[in-house]
Structure formats: C-alpha cells, structure tokens
Amino acid sequence: MKGRVICLDSRAGREAAALIVDGRLEDLLIDPPEDRPAPEAIFRAIVDRPVKGQGGVFVRLPEGGTGFLRQASGLAPGQRLLVQVSGVAEPGKAVPVTARLLFKSRLCILTPGAPGLNISRRIRDEALREELSEIAAEAMTGAADDLGLILRSACETASDSEIATEIVETRALAEAVLADVAGEPELLVDAPGAHQLAWRDWSDPSPDEIDEAEGAFERHGVAEACEALLSAQVPLGGGAHMAVEPTRALVAVDVNTGSDTSPAAALKANVAAARELPRQLRLRGLGGQVVIDFAPMPKRDRVALEQVLRAAFRGESAETSLAGWTPLGLYELVRKRDRIPLTELLT
C-alpha cells in the first residue's frame, strides 16, 4: 500500500503508535512503564551532590528518584531547579536530565533561555514566512525576553488561528511551569504518550490514513513486524543479512553476505546494511555505542560506504555521531538513547 498510514493501538496495556510508509513500518512508539520517566517529562528537582571529574550533579526527583545533570557548574546542594528528562537510563541508574527546557506542540516549540522568533527552514515561501513572523510576534507580545519561539514546518498547512492559538496555549504552559520552582521534587509536566507524539510529530506531511480502531496493528501488519524485531536477524536481500544484538556495553552489528560469492557481494551487503541500520535502531529503541563488523571489503570502498552511512543517518531525530573506523576494521557510532529498548517493552 502506498502512502503514509498512522496506526494508534495498544500493547501490553499501554498506548502504542506505528508509522507505516508505503507499506513498511518506519517508526514505532510504545508508552514506557509508569515507573520509568520518559523523555520530555519536566520535574522540579533538588540538587543533591556533584560528581567529581564528570562536570555534573545528581538531582533528587519525586518518589526517591535520581537524575544526572551534566554541565552543572555553579549549582549548590539543596538548590531547586527545573529539569527535563533528556534520555533513557537503564533500570537502577540515574535518569539523564537537562536544565534547558523545551515545550513542544505540533506547530511550535517554546525555548526558555534561548530567545528569538525562528521559523523552520523547510518553509521557504518568503510571503508565508513574513506572515508567520507577524503571527508569532503578536502571540508572544509581553513574553519574557529570554523566552524564544520556533515555528515548526507543520505551520505551512495550518490556519492562522490554529497557529496563534497553539502559540498562546504553549506559552501559557511554559510560563506557568517556569514560575513553579519552589517546593519539593515534583512532576510538573508529564511526558507525551505514544498517541500524542504520533499526532504531534508524524502529521507533517499529512497522513493518508489514520487507523485508531481496535486491532489496527493486526490489520496493518504491525504486530507481525514487532515479532520480527524481537529477532536479531535482519534480511538485507540477495541472501545477505545482518544481526543486531544489544549487550550491556554496546550494540553489536554483524553483516554477512550469505550465499552470494560475487566480487561485489560484500559492498552490496554493506551498503544495504548501512541504509537499513538507522531504521532498525529506531524501531528497536537501541542507542549508546554501536559497533559494526561490516563484511570484509577492500579499504578503497570505505569512503563510499561512509557516504552512504552519513546519508542514512541524516534527518534522524536521535542525535548520532559517526566516529569512524577502528584499527581492527570495525566501524563505531554513538546514538542517543531516547527510547526504552523494544525487547523490554514487549517481553
């Protein structure tokens, strides 16, 4: 089936959403358990103790939780501050948090501490950009000087009233939270659920179909795709395959040519793996250090393969740093941990 389809369903009693593009599963969101703070949740926290040598501090969160805040110079134990969950931690470890808050909606993002009115570069119509600037300036009249605004690309197809209303509502939430620093550790803004994230982040471009009736995952093959994602094996075509296996320290990826013994077999398998890897990491909720053992190929082919890798990871929502080749011929990259691994959510 051609086009973009959004499926809203549930898994293990929690909200779940799937994005299908031209019949292939491209993204998958499942709400985490209630005891696991999710990215974008905002807390009032209390500075606990510094971590020597790491330039950060532990902060106390509600119900005995602990967060870790990097680049936290100038903070004193006992100080109250607002923090936002910025990633996912393994069970028993401190939750990564940041003091740079973002208030996101479908059409705009409010940026405390980062002033300015900005418009998505994907909107190129100069007349529209000027019109959006006027709407933004009016909606932000009287706001604090350090409260910035970003208009997202979805504004291109939204009405003026929709944009103005969403800016005002998001600004009101941001101002209320920013004024609520006093008190004990508390959850001030819960993380968006899977259905809300799907509506917010997958609506541009507009989907061709939204299936939110019970059994949507089964009707569109998402349930079957989830089962396949629990296996390490990923077919790459032509008999080639790769294995994606997370360990406690890193994610190991092994690429094999299979039965193809032609001279170009290794490069073909490696290119296919490089193109597929961002999708597999995204769907499986994997991040951290990723080490890839590509199929053996001449060193002269590495430049071409790196170009494919850079293109494949361009535009990924999770920040990814391509570190390069090791002396042993492995390739390393680091991807931000922004989701709980799918195996933890489904098993």
Side-chain angles (χ1 to χ4, degrees):
M1 176 181 174
K2 294 291 185 179
R4 289 169 60 88
V5 179
I6 294 177
C7 297
L8 305 180
D9 208 327
S10 62
R11 273 293 172 271
R14 299 190 296 272
E15 283 188 2
L19 173 64
I20 303 168
V21 180
D22 295 338
R24 188 173 83 153
L25 180 63
E26 286 295 332
D27 209 347
L28 178 67
L29 301 170
I30 301 177
D31 280 0
E34 293 183 1
D35 61 347
R36 299 283 295 274
E40 297 191 35
I42 298 176
F43 291 92
R44 183 195 305 119
I46 298 178
V47 178
D48 193 357
R49 56 187 173 85
V51 182
K52 292 183 179 180
Q54 295 191 31
V57 296
F58 287 115
V59 297
R60 283 190 279 134
L61 301 176
E63 300 179 2
T66 302
F68 180 68
L69 174 65
R70 294 185 182 276
Q71 300 175 342
S73 59
L75 296 178
Q79 182 177 338
R80 267 85 173 158
L81 76 164
L82 302 177
V83 297
Q84 188 167 38
V85 177
S86 58
V88 170
E90 296 178 6
K93 291 190 175 182
V95 179
V97 297
T98 178
R100 300 191 61 140
L101 310 184
L102 294 176
F103 296 85
K104 294 184 179 182
S105 70
R106 186 174 69 91
L107 301 177
C108 67
I109 303 174
L110 270 290
T111 59
L117 302 180
N118 301 284
I119 300 172
S120 170
R121 286 178 291 182
R122 289 177 57 188
I123 300 176
R124 299 183 179 180
D125 186 305
E126 288 301 324
L128 177 58
R129 292 180 68 89
E130 185 175 339
E131 183 180 344
L132 291 174
S133 294
E134 294 174 358
I135 295 172
E138 182 176 350
M140 293 295 288
T141 299
D145 292 339
D146 67 343
L147 185 59
L149 171 70
I150 300 171
L151 293 184
R152 308 182 72 183
S153 57
C155 290
E156 194 165 20
T157 56
S159 68
D160 292 357
S161 60
E162 282 181 307
I163 297 169
T165 298
E166 200 155 302
I167 294 172
V168 170
E169 291 176 349
T170 310
R171 172 186 166 183
L173 173 63
E175 291 175 336
V177 171
L178 293 172
D180 196 8
V181 180
E184 293 302 302
E186 182 181 351
L187 174 64
L188 300 180
V189 179
D190 203 355
H195 291 183
Q196 183 181 348
L197 281 172
W199 173 83
R200 189 189 78 185
D201 295 341
W202 296 346
S203 59
D204 182 30
S206 298
D208 298 287
E209 179 186 352
I210 299 177
D211 188 346
E212 52 187 331
E214 185 177 350
F217 275 18
E218 280 72 19
R219 279 191 297 278
H220 293 273
V222 178
E224 183 179 350
C226 288
E227 289 299 317
L229 289 168
L230 296 178
S231 169
Q233 292 290 101
V234 181
L236 297 173
H241 63 274
M242 67 177 172
V244 181
E245 299 176 293
T247 70
R248 287 189 64 87
L250 51 83
V251 178
V253 180
D254 182 46
V255 183
N256 293 284
T257 60
S259 56
D260 189 350
T261 58
S262 65
L267 183 58
K268 287 193 298 183
N270 290 339
V271 167
R275 289 173 175 162
E276 178 65 14
L277 185 58
R279 173 175 172 267
Q280 289 296 325
L281 296 177
R282 182 171 65 249
L283 293 175
R284 295 166 185 262
L286 299 177
Q289 184 178 358
V290 181
V291 178
I292 311 165
D293 184 11
F294 283 112
M297 65 179 185
K299 283 189 176 181
R300 65 175 180 270
D301 290 335
R302 287 184 177 182
V303 174
L305 184 57
E306 284 186 277
Q307 291 176 342
V308 174
L309 272 170
R310 282 195 292 270
F313 280 98
R314 192 177 298 128
E316 281 290 300
S317 59
E319 182 180 341
T320 304
S321 175
L322 304 180
W325 301 93
T326 72
L328 294 178
L330 304 175
Y331 193 91
E332 294 184 333
L333 61 89
V334 179
R335 184 182 189 275
K336 182 178 179 180
R337 288 189 176 96
D338 63 343
R339 300 181 183 181
I340 295 176
L342 186 65
T343 53
E344 294 184 30
L345 295 172
L346 294 183
T347 58

